[in-house]
Amino acid sequence: MPWAWTIPIRIRTRIRLRIREVREILVVPSMPDVIPSLDSVTPEWLTSLLRQRGVLERGRVLDVKIRSNPAFNSVAAHLEPVYSADAPAGVPERLFIKIKQHRWGRDEVSFYRMAMRQKPPLPMLIPFIDGAYDEDTGISHCLMLDVSGTHHAPVSRASLLAGDGVPKAGELAGCVEALASLHAYWWEHPDLRDGPVRIPTPFTDEESYMAEVRDQAEEWRRFSASAAAELPRELIELYDRRIEALPTLWDRYLKHRIARFSKLTVCHSDCYFTQFLCPDDPEIHGTYLSDMEEACIYLGAEDLVYVFATFWTREQRQENDRELRCLKRYYETLVNRGVKDYSWDDLCMDYRLQMIWRVELPVWDQQNGSSPDYWRPKMQCLADAYRDWDCAALL
């Protein structure tokens, strides 16, 4: 399942940490019946839950076979219910559960519960059955269909980090369309204004934005003192110029857009290709996005920079215009899904803006203990994309 395939070095930037900090202040009601451990996954519990969800109209669960999953960021397991003979046809034969502590699963539960209310179900999300969160203990669980028998990751973690992170053509197209469909569905959606998913803290107001800029400037200063001597001068100048100009971006590009809730959507916000699940048989199943614990409201291009610029080299992006073709497929899918008043030039501008913001990722990585083998290739990929898209012209 997807949580075993996710990159283990989570890119928990200050943006995400501050999302968490702000939500600690918000009143988040506890959700009942949280499963604190796999010991609590009993036939009785599963019978009751499936009945409540309308999945098990009659009969009951006699036994549950539990097979653990080596997910790094949760207690996770594949479940195989054994039903009584009078259970109806079509009951789920395989389920997947993940249990998280320390409040790390709260936002994912909130997102999926919001998504469950949408009709018809969103096809780019793994069918979700139940989620619960306990504010007192910080424990949560998510229960959904187990699609490991019908889907696979388009790129492995090892391949991604080794520089071989380009999916097969058909699978790449499916990932792009799934992401665009997610963004299109939630584009300026009314449920987002007062819902559980939030705008990242640095972009909620000018004060928060400027605080983030100061933090990044200090982070870059420390990076320069410890690692800049190893980098070419032109790369240092790119980052110096970026830091100098960051304060101006709020008024010029973000302030009014955030205030008007204009052209914003739900972003995955940790959107590497390892977060997708592609069908073994595309004629039967579609592509899924997984692991929504970092979901936020922001510019959709946030996710595009993760998938196309963070680990793709210049050669990989430019081969047969791969990056440009992916962006055009993404844009065409947005339009076909009903997004209006958002031009191709708007998308390109957003992509460049997010490149300016996300080029800082490897600096954060280095300052938080990542090895040079991890942050240097990422820095090169992002810096090359930054130059190719002439992001400095926006500063």
Side-chain angles (χ1 to χ4, degrees):
M1 284 297 287
W3 305 279
W5 300 331
T6 307
I7 298 174
I9 305 173
R10 300 289 286 191
I11 311 303
R12 301 199 185 285
T13 64
R14 285 180 304 276
I15 292 177
R16 297 194 181 97
L17 292 174
R18 288 181 178 175
I19 295 173
R20 306 288 182 188
E21 291 166 5
V22 167
R23 291 179 184 177
E24 293 291 338
I25 301 172
L26 301 174
V27 177
V28 182
S30 292
M31 304 170 190
D33 302 325
V34 172
I35 293 299
S37 70
L38 294 178
D39 291 338
S40 300
V41 179
T42 64
E44 294 76 19
W45 171 77
L46 194 54
T47 295
S48 176
L49 180 62
L50 295 179
R51 284 176 178 169
Q52 292 174 20
R53 296 291 178 264
V55 177
L56 186 62
E57 298 177 357
R58 63 181 183 275
R60 60 193 179 93
V61 177
L62 301 176
D63 190 16
V64 185
K65 299 178 181 178
I66 300 176
R67 177 169 54 88
S68 64
N69 178 286
F72 73 95
N73 60 351
S74 61
V75 175
H78 304 265
L79 310 179
E80 294 186 26
V82 178
Y83 297 97
S84 60
D86 56 339
V91 291
E93 297 180 358
R94 292 179 176 82
L95 301 169
F96 186 86
I97 190 168
K98 60 177 178 175
I99 302 167
K100 293 191 176 184
Q101 300 182 351
H102 311 300
R103 294 179 168 80
W104 284 111
R106 176 178 59 190
D107 300 334
E108 184 170 28
V109 170
S110 295
F111 169 77
Y112 276 117
R113 289 171 71 94
M114 178 178 71
M116 282 179 67
R117 298 194 296 267
Q118 311 305 313
K119 303 298 181 185
L122 304 188
M124 78 295 297
L125 299 177
I126 299 170
F128 188 78
I129 294 175
D130 182 67
Y133 166 73
D134 189 312
E135 179 68 25
D136 293 332
T137 64
I139 298 175
S140 66
H141 77 256
C142 287
L143 179 70
M144 55 190 67
L145 293 189
D146 181 349
V147 299
S148 61
T150 56
H151 288 70
H152 61 274
V155 172
S156 71
R157 170 188 174 268
S159 295
L160 189 70
L161 297 182
D164 187 19
V166 180
K168 297 177 182 177
E171 294 182 350
L172 176 57
C175 292
V176 172
E177 291 175 7
L179 181 61
S181 297
L182 177 77
H183 290 171
Y185 182 85
W186 294 108
W187 199 268
E188 299 180 349
H189 197 289
D191 284 1
L192 297 182
R193 288 187 175 271
D194 298 308
V197 182
R198 304 284 172 170
I199 294 172
T201 304
F203 305 109
T204 55
D205 54 55
E206 184 174 5
E207 180 180 359
S208 298
Y209 179 85
M210 293 305 172
E212 174 68 17
V213 169
R214 290 191 295 271
D215 287 347
Q216 288 199 18
E218 174 59 22
E219 197 166 72
W220 173 242
R221 185 194 66 77
R222 295 195 305 268
F223 177 95
S224 297
S226 62
E230 307 171 24
L231 302 178
R233 183 60 205 168
E234 59 269 20
L235 194 56
I236 301 299
E237 291 174 353
L238 181 155
Y239 277 90
D240 282 343
R241 174 70 183 109
R242 171 190 178 272
I243 288 294
E244 291 173 2
L246 274 184
T248 69
L249 300 186
W250 174 255
D251 280 338
R252 292 163 59 201
Y253 299 114
L254 295 169
K255 177 180 178 180
H256 298 295
R257 185 163 174 182
I258 297 294
R260 296 168 183 166
F261 211 81
S262 175
K263 303 170 186 176
L264 302 181
T265 187
V266 167
C267 293
H268 185 285
S269 203
D270 196 32
C271 197
Y272 300 103
F273 280 115
T274 49
Q275 303 284 31
F276 292 84
L277 291 173
C278 295
D280 298 339
D281 187 346
E283 297 296 323
I284 300 176
H285 301 288
T287 300
Y288 291 130
L289 266 163
S290 68
D291 203 358
M292 298 296 298
E293 75 170 50
E294 305 290 350
C296 67
I297 302 170
Y298 193 47
L299 283 62
E302 159 92 343
D303 290 337
L304 300 177
V305 172
Y306 271 98
V307 289
F308 303 145
T310 305
F311 281 106
W312 279 1
T313 65
R314 171 177 281 152
E315 292 72 24
Q316 288 169 332
R317 285 186 297 103
Q318 295 181 353
E319 183 182 14
N320 296 322
D321 292 326
R322 179 180 286 115
E323 178 187 36
L324 189 60
R325 288 188 292 107
C326 285
L327 289 170
K328 287 183 175 179
R329 180 181 293 272
Y330 170 87
Y331 180 73
E332 290 169 359
T333 305
L334 284 186
V335 173
N336 291 338
R337 296 290 188 275
V339 171
K340 302 181 184 301
D341 300 320
Y342 189 67
S343 68
W344 168 251
D345 288 343
D346 290 335
L347 172 61
C348 292
M349 174 66 79
D350 284 353
Y351 192 57
R352 295 167 72 198
L353 280 173
Q354 286 312 109
M355 203 89 69
I356 293 172
W357 196 256
R358 284 303 171 201
V359 77
E360 193 258 353
L361 278 175
V363 176
W364 186 92
D365 291 333
Q366 189 271 349
Q367 288 293 291
N368 286 271
S370 293
S371 70
D373 289 342
Y374 179 78
W375 64 260
R376 279 180 183 166
K378 182 190 284 190
M379 179 173 281
Q380 190 64 58
C381 289
L382 284 165
D384 284 345
Y386 186 101
R387 295 188 186 101
D388 293 343
W389 283 87
D390 195 17
C391 295
L394 301 182
L395 299 177

